[in-house]
mmCIF file of all heavy atoms in Angstrom:
data_model
loop_
_atom_site.group_PDB
_atom_site.id
_atom_site.type_symbol
_atom_site.label_atom_id
_atom_site.label_comp_id
_atom_site.label_asym_id
_atom_site.label_seq_id
_atom_site.Cartn_x
_atom_site.Cartn_y
_atom_site.Cartn_z
ATOM 1 N N ARG A 723 125.581 49.352 87.337
ATOM 2 C CA ARG A 723 126.820 50.111 87.543
ATOM 3 C C ARG A 723 126.810 50.898 88.853
ATOM 4 O O ARG A 723 127.817 51.471 89.219
ATOM 5 C CB ARG A 723 127.057 51.071 86.373
ATOM 6 C CG ARG A 723 127.229 50.408 85.046
ATOM 7 C CD ARG A 723 128.592 49.855 84.803
ATOM 8 N NE ARG A 723 129.605 50.875 85.000
ATOM 9 C CZ ARG A 723 130.858 50.619 85.262
ATOM 10 N NH1 ARG A 723 131.263 49.390 85.365
ATOM 11 N NH2 ARG A 723 131.735 51.583 85.426
ATOM 12 N N LEU A 724 125.683 50.950 89.523
ATOM 13 C CA LEU A 724 125.596 51.699 90.780
ATOM 14 C C LEU A 724 125.577 50.793 92.000
ATOM 15 O O LEU A 724 125.298 51.241 93.106
ATOM 16 C CB LEU A 724 124.358 52.602 90.771
ATOM 17 C CG LEU A 724 124.346 53.667 89.679
ATOM 18 C CD1 LEU A 724 123.058 54.465 89.720
ATOM 19 C CD2 LEU A 724 125.549 54.586 89.793
ATOM 20 N N ASP A 725 125.857 49.494 91.793
ATOM 21 C CA ASP A 725 125.869 48.563 92.906
ATOM 22 C C ASP A 725 127.110 47.688 92.798
ATOM 23 O O ASP A 725 127.174 46.840 91.901
ATOM 24 C CB ASP A 725 124.609 47.708 92.892
ATOM 25 C CG ASP A 725 124.469 46.862 94.142
ATOM 26 O OD1 ASP A 725 125.135 47.173 95.149
ATOM 27 O OD2 ASP A 725 123.693 45.893 94.101
ATOM 28 N N PRO A 726 128.116 47.859 93.633
ATOM 29 C CA PRO A 726 128.155 48.806 94.750
ATOM 30 C C PRO A 726 128.271 50.244 94.260
ATOM 31 O O PRO A 726 128.754 50.496 93.155
ATOM 32 C CB PRO A 726 129.409 48.389 95.533
ATOM 33 C CG PRO A 726 130.272 47.719 94.518
ATOM 34 C CD PRO A 726 129.353 47.070 93.530
ATOM 35 N N ALA A 727 127.838 51.140 95.115
ATOM 36 C CA ALA A 727 127.830 52.558 94.765
ATOM 37 C C ALA A 727 129.252 53.073 94.543
ATOM 38 O O ALA A 727 130.164 52.740 95.303
ATOM 39 C CB ALA A 727 127.159 53.367 95.869
ATOM 40 N N PRO A 728 129.443 53.874 93.512
ATOM 41 C CA PRO A 728 130.777 54.466 93.297
ATOM 42 C C PRO A 728 131.059 55.561 94.319
ATOM 43 O O PRO A 728 130.143 56.149 94.887
ATOM 44 C CB PRO A 728 130.681 55.049 91.883
ATOM 45 C CG PRO A 728 129.234 55.308 91.685
ATOM 46 C CD PRO A 728 128.492 54.275 92.488
ATOM 47 N N ARG A 729 132.324 55.788 94.551
ATOM 48 C CA ARG A 729 132.747 56.926 95.360
ATOM 49 C C ARG A 729 133.043 58.044 94.372
ATOM 50 O O ARG A 729 133.805 57.840 93.422
ATOM 51 C CB ARG A 729 133.975 56.552 96.198
ATOM 52 C CG ARG A 729 133.639 55.489 97.253
ATOM 53 C CD ARG A 729 134.871 54.847 97.863
ATOM 54 N NE ARG A 729 135.851 54.321 96.918
ATOM 55 C CZ ARG A 729 135.727 53.174 96.250
ATOM 56 N NH1 ARG A 729 134.662 52.429 96.416
ATOM 57 N NH2 ARG A 729 136.674 52.769 95.431
ATOM 58 N N ILE A 730 132.445 59.184 94.592
ATOM 59 C CA ILE A 730 132.518 60.243 93.586
ATOM 60 C C ILE A 730 132.786 61.596 94.249
ATOM 61 O O ILE A 730 132.316 61.844 95.361
ATOM 62 C CB ILE A 730 131.206 60.275 92.756
ATOM 63 C CG1 ILE A 730 131.319 61.197 91.553
ATOM 64 C CG2 ILE A 730 130.012 60.625 93.611
ATOM 65 C CD1 ILE A 730 130.202 60.998 90.537
ATOM 66 N N ARG A 731 133.566 62.427 93.600
ATOM 67 C CA ARG A 731 133.848 63.781 94.069
ATOM 68 C C ARG A 731 133.722 64.742 92.900
ATOM 69 O O ARG A 731 134.198 64.468 91.806
ATOM 70 C CB ARG A 731 135.274 63.904 94.619
ATOM 71 C CG ARG A 731 135.432 63.419 96.005
ATOM 72 C CD ARG A 731 134.793 64.399 96.997
ATOM 73 N NE ARG A 731 134.835 63.829 98.301
ATOM 74 C CZ ARG A 731 133.753 63.552 99.027
ATOM 75 N NH1 ARG A 731 132.564 63.824 98.582
ATOM 76 N NH2 ARG A 731 133.862 63.032 100.223
ATOM 77 N N HIS A 732 133.083 65.863 93.176
ATOM 78 C CA HIS A 732 132.944 66.946 92.204
ATOM 79 C C HIS A 732 133.727 68.151 92.713
ATOM 80 O O HIS A 732 133.523 68.579 93.853
ATOM 81 C CB HIS A 732 131.475 67.357 92.052
ATOM 82 C CG HIS A 732 130.640 66.351 91.354
ATOM 83 N ND1 HIS A 732 130.280 65.151 91.913
ATOM 84 C CD2 HIS A 732 130.083 66.376 90.119
ATOM 85 C CE1 HIS A 732 129.535 64.476 91.054
ATOM 86 N NE2 HIS A 732 129.401 65.189 89.969
ATOM 87 N N LEU A 733 134.596 68.671 91.886
ATOM 88 C CA LEU A 733 135.342 69.885 92.216
ATOM 89 C C LEU A 733 134.927 70.971 91.243
ATOM 90 O O LEU A 733 134.804 70.735 90.040
ATOM 91 C CB LEU A 733 136.852 69.641 92.118
ATOM 92 C CG LEU A 733 137.408 68.490 92.955
ATOM 93 C CD1 LEU A 733 138.905 68.345 92.722
ATOM 94 C CD2 LEU A 733 137.118 68.691 94.428
ATOM 95 N N ILE A 734 134.726 72.166 91.773
ATOM 96 C CA ILE A 734 134.316 73.318 90.971
ATOM 97 C C ILE A 734 135.389 74.385 91.109
ATOM 98 O O ILE A 734 135.861 74.662 92.214
ATOM 99 C CB ILE A 734 132.962 73.879 91.459
ATOM 100 C CG1 ILE A 734 131.889 72.785 91.451
ATOM 101 C CG2 ILE A 734 132.533 75.073 90.631
ATOM 102 C CD1 ILE A 734 131.606 72.185 90.093
ATOM 103 N N THR A 735 135.752 75.004 89.997
ATOM 104 C CA THR A 735 136.792 76.022 90.020
ATOM 105 C C THR A 735 136.547 77.056 88.923
ATOM 106 O O THR A 735 135.624 76.901 88.106
ATOM 107 C CB THR A 735 138.183 75.362 89.868
ATOM 108 O OG1 THR A 735 139.186 76.353 90.019
ATOM 109 C CG2 THR A 735 138.335 74.684 88.529
ATOM 110 N N ASN A 736 137.371 78.099 88.913
ATOM 111 C CA ASN A 736 137.331 79.151 87.886
ATOM 112 C C ASN A 736 135.922 79.738 87.719
ATOM 113 O O ASN A 736 135.440 79.919 86.610
ATOM 114 C CB ASN A 736 137.827 78.616 86.537
ATOM 115 C CG ASN A 736 139.265 78.180 86.572
ATOM 116 O OD1 ASN A 736 139.643 77.375 87.422
ATOM 117 N ND2 ASN A 736 140.078 78.700 85.674
ATOM 118 N N ILE A 737 135.286 80.042 88.830
ATOM 119 C CA ILE A 737 133.922 80.576 88.797
ATOM 120 C C ILE A 737 133.963 82.050 88.419
ATOM 121 O O ILE A 737 134.678 82.840 89.034
ATOM 122 C CB ILE A 737 133.230 80.397 90.165
ATOM 123 C CG1 ILE A 737 133.136 78.912 90.519
ATOM 124 C CG2 ILE A 737 131.857 81.052 90.161
ATOM 125 C CD1 ILE A 737 132.710 78.642 91.945
ATOM 126 N N GLU A 738 133.188 82.390 87.403
ATOM 127 C CA GLU A 738 133.005 83.777 87.005
ATOM 128 C C GLU A 738 131.508 84.036 86.936
ATOM 129 O O GLU A 738 130.739 83.145 86.584
ATOM 130 C CB GLU A 738 133.627 84.050 85.634
ATOM 131 C CG GLU A 738 135.135 83.874 85.590
ATOM 132 C CD GLU A 738 135.681 84.179 84.213
ATOM 133 O OE1 GLU A 738 135.654 83.268 83.368
ATOM 134 O OE2 GLU A 738 136.085 85.340 83.988
ATOM 135 N N ALA A 739 131.094 85.259 87.244
ATOM 136 C CA ALA A 739 129.672 85.604 87.225
ATOM 137 C C ALA A 739 129.507 87.007 86.644
ATOM 138 O O ALA A 739 130.198 87.936 87.056
ATOM 139 C CB ALA A 739 129.087 85.533 88.628
ATOM 140 N N PHE A 740 128.576 87.121 85.703
ATOM 141 C CA PHE A 740 128.389 88.369 84.983
ATOM 142 C C PHE A 740 126.931 88.790 84.981
ATOM 143 O O PHE A 740 126.025 87.947 85.010
ATOM 144 C CB PHE A 740 128.863 88.221 83.524
ATOM 145 C CG PHE A 740 130.276 87.749 83.407
ATOM 146 C CD1 PHE A 740 130.562 86.419 83.122
ATOM 147 C CD2 PHE A 740 131.331 88.634 83.593
ATOM 148 C CE1 PHE A 740 131.867 85.976 83.013
ATOM 149 C CE2 PHE A 740 132.637 88.196 83.494
ATOM 150 C CZ PHE A 740 132.913 86.872 83.195
ATOM 151 N N GLU A 741 126.723 90.093 84.923
ATOM 152 C CA GLU A 741 125.376 90.640 84.813
ATOM 153 C C GLU A 741 124.801 90.308 83.438
ATOM 154 O O GLU A 741 125.539 90.102 82.481
ATOM 155 C CB GLU A 741 125.406 92.163 84.998
ATOM 156 C CG GLU A 741 125.791 92.602 86.387
ATOM 157 C CD GLU A 741 125.796 94.129 86.543
ATOM 158 O OE1 GLU A 741 125.510 94.844 85.554
ATOM 159 O OE2 GLU A 741 126.105 94.589 87.647
ATOM 160 N N THR A 742 123.484 90.259 83.370
ATOM 161 C CA THR A 742 122.782 90.102 82.089
ATOM 162 C C THR A 742 121.860 91.299 81.915
ATOM 163 O O THR A 742 121.788 92.173 82.785
ATOM 164 C CB THR A 742 121.946 88.807 82.048
ATOM 165 O OG1 THR A 742 120.855 88.928 82.968
ATOM 166 C CG2 THR A 742 122.783 87.584 82.395
ATOM 167 N N ASP A 743 121.135 91.323 80.815
ATOM 168 C CA ASP A 743 120.172 92.400 80.571
ATOM 169 C C ASP A 743 118.904 92.249 81.406
ATOM 170 O O ASP A 743 118.105 93.171 81.485
ATOM 171 C CB ASP A 743 119.797 92.444 79.080
ATOM 172 C CG ASP A 743 120.976 92.820 78.199
ATOM 173 O OD1 ASP A 743 121.909 93.470 78.706
ATOM 174 O OD2 ASP A 743 120.959 92.462 77.002
ATOM 175 N N VAL A 744 118.721 91.081 82.006
ATOM 176 C CA VAL A 744 117.522 90.804 82.796
ATOM 177 C C VAL A 744 117.873 90.880 84.276
ATOM 178 O O VAL A 744 118.777 90.168 84.744
ATOM 179 C CB VAL A 744 116.951 89.413 82.443
ATOM 180 C CG1 VAL A 744 115.729 89.095 83.297
ATOM 181 C CG2 VAL A 744 116.631 89.314 80.964
ATOM 182 N N ALA A 745 117.171 91.719 85.010
ATOM 183 C CA ALA A 745 117.428 91.852 86.451
ATOM 184 C C ALA A 745 117.205 90.509 87.148
ATOM 185 O O ALA A 745 116.208 89.829 86.910
ATOM 186 C CB ALA A 745 116.502 92.910 87.048
ATOM 187 N N GLY A 746 118.157 90.121 87.991
ATOM 188 C CA GLY A 746 118.049 88.873 88.732
ATOM 189 C C GLY A 746 118.658 87.670 88.024
ATOM 190 O O GLY A 746 118.815 86.619 88.631
#
Side-chain angles (χ1 to χ4, degrees):
R723 298 280 306 158
L724 298 178
D725 188 18
R729 294 166 308 283
I730 190 166
R731 279 287 174 241
H732 289 71
L733 304 178
I734 304 299
T735 185
N736 297 53
I737 299 169
E738 296 181 276
F740 305 101
E741 293 181 359
T742 68
D743 295 336
V744 178

